[in-house]
Every structure is written in C-alpha cells, then in structure tokens.
Amino acid sequence: MAQPVDESVRERPLREVIRDTLRTRIFEGYYAPGMRLIERDLAAEFKVSRLPVREALRMLLQEGLLAERATRGSVVAGLSEKDVADLFDVRSSLEVLACRLAAQRATPEDVARLEGLLDSATDALARGSINEAHRYNSEFHDEVTAIADNSFLRTALEPLQGRMHWLFRHVTDLPELIEEHRELLTAIASGDAERAAAQSVKHIGKYREQYPDTV
C-alpha cells in the first residue's frame, strides 16, 4: 500500500491528492470504521511533509468521513442507523431541489456532460472496474448540483457529499442504478422541473428502503 504521490498529479494541491486517496480507501473498506489515521505514518507513506497530510485529514473531518477522538486523534467515522436515516432525510430535500433546478437551468452542454458520465460508468462496469463505475455515478450527482447553480444549495450539500458518496457505494446493482440515473437525466433534459423532482424522489426512496440498517 505504501506509495509516493504520483508525479503525474503534482499539478494538483498535495492535500487534495492525499484526501482523494484516503477517501477512496475509506470507500473501498481498506480503512474500517474506528481505524486511526496517524499523520506521521501517512506522511512517511506518501513521502511528503506532515502539513498536506494534516490538511487532507482536516478536509475529511469536514466531510464527516473522519471523526476526532480526544485520546486517539482522527479515526474513520461510522454511520449508525439514525445517521443513515438522517442523511436520507437531508438528501431527499436537497437533492430533489437540485434536480428541480437542474431541469430549469440545464443547457445542451450540461445534458451531454451528464450523459458522458453515465456512458463512462457503463463502460467501467463492462470492464469490471466497479470502483470506477461507482465514482462516475457519484460524479453524476455532483454534476447535477453544479448545474442547479445555487450557491446556498451547494454550500449545504458540500459537507455531506463524502457521506453521501459512501452511501452510494453500498448499492450493489450497478446496472440498475445507471439505468435509474438515465431516467433521471431524461427528466432533467425535458426541462420539466416537477418531473425531475418526482423522479428524484422515486430514486432516493427506492434506495432508502433497500439500504442496510447500519453501516
């Protein structure tokens, strides 16, 4: 697992590269809930100073993927049954609004970008790259929020996105998920805000019912 930071991504801030790597490990289960992430050990692994690691950990704390414990430092957070229910409550409000606004504001270029993400997810799935397919499906939701073009909505969603993406990773029927996203895209592309909102409610409700009791 010990890898230096790839030179090909050096143009990005180190804190973001490290954050994305750690986030992926959490999503993929390499870091289990309750596991402590030690700043100096990560700095040695990535062959960087401790500052970008500290910043990456702070970003993951803000996303809710890590929690601070007085005696243990940063540990991987878990989601209780109530946490999951609360998160779905918030998601059903904010994401439905995002889809409604996206239907009103999406340009042909926006629709093409969303379609491209779903095509990429389909291609990744066909190649057996499950994690990559999950990533494209998560990016689809993020792009809908961007298209909604509401700064207050984005500010409300940003601290929750890490945990929402974690929820997305528990979906096992990826072909069905991609098809549902295509239906949501069709609703957004129609320009009918109420149709897009209704499709979003249906989509979120289905996965809320299927979701495990605890994470």
Side-chain angles (χ1 to χ4, degrees):
M1 177 61 69
Q3 295 285 342
V5 175
D6 191 332
E7 290 294 334
S8 66
V9 295
R10 283 289 189 174
E11 65 274 10
R12 295 181 58 208
L14 276 174
R15 63 181 180 275
E16 294 182 9
V17 176
I18 296 168
R19 175 205 60 192
D20 291 351
T21 301
L22 298 179
R23 184 196 285 142
T24 297
R25 292 178 184 178
I26 292 171
F27 287 159
E28 294 177 1
Y30 181 82
Y31 295 148
M35 182 174 179
R36 183 184 176 197
L37 298 188
I38 301 173
E39 186 180 297
R40 65 174 180 275
D41 293 347
L42 292 169
E45 175 187 342
F46 288 110
K47 303 187 186 307
V48 297
S49 72
R50 293 174 65 166
L51 179 58
V53 173
R54 186 177 306 127
E55 292 173 340
L57 294 177
R58 186 179 301 117
M59 294 165 80
L60 292 172
L61 281 165
Q62 291 172 345
E63 290 183 19
L65 293 177
L66 298 181
E68 278 195 319
R69 298 290 182 265
T71 58
R72 301 187 62 203
S74 297
V75 301
V76 177
L79 290 177
S80 68
E81 182 176 356
K82 184 178 186 303
D83 290 334
V84 172
D86 290 348
L87 190 53
F88 268 107
D89 284 342
V90 173
R91 182 185 172 194
S92 64
S93 297
L94 298 182
E95 282 202 6
V96 171
L97 174 59
C99 289
R100 179 181 281 112
L101 292 174
Q104 295 171 337
R105 298 173 179 175
T107 66
E109 292 77 16
D110 292 330
V111 171
R113 196 158 55 250
L114 289 172
E115 187 172 7
L117 288 171
L118 297 182
D119 288 344
S120 295
T122 300
D123 177 67
L125 187 60
R127 291 186 280 105
S129 183
I130 303 302
N131 289 324
E132 187 179 355
H134 273 301
R135 178 169 61 81
Y136 284 121
N137 278 298
S138 294
E139 288 179 7
F140 175 86
H141 281 277
D142 293 345
E143 187 62 29
V144 169
T145 300
I147 293 168
D149 192 25
N150 183 302
S151 60
F152 293 105
L153 175 62
R154 181 177 293 190
T155 299
L157 275 170
E158 278 179 352
L160 302 173
Q161 283 178 332
R163 280 165 284 187
M164 286 184 174
H165 290 176
W166 200 358
L167 291 182
F168 300 157
R169 293 288 177 132
H170 287 76
V171 174
T172 56
D173 192 345
L174 279 173
E176 184 176 357
L177 176 63
I178 294 170
E179 182 57 34
E180 290 210 358
H181 281 170
R182 290 196 185 279
E183 292 174 2
L184 184 56
L185 171 57
T186 298
I188 291 171
S190 74
D192 185 335
E194 295 311 312
R195 177 183 174 186
Q199 189 64 42
S200 180
V201 169
K202 178 183 175 183
H203 174 60
I204 295 168
K206 173 181 176 179
Y207 288 101
R208 180 171 191 156
E209 291 176 0
Q210 293 181 358
Y211 203 77
D213 288 341
T214 58
V215 179

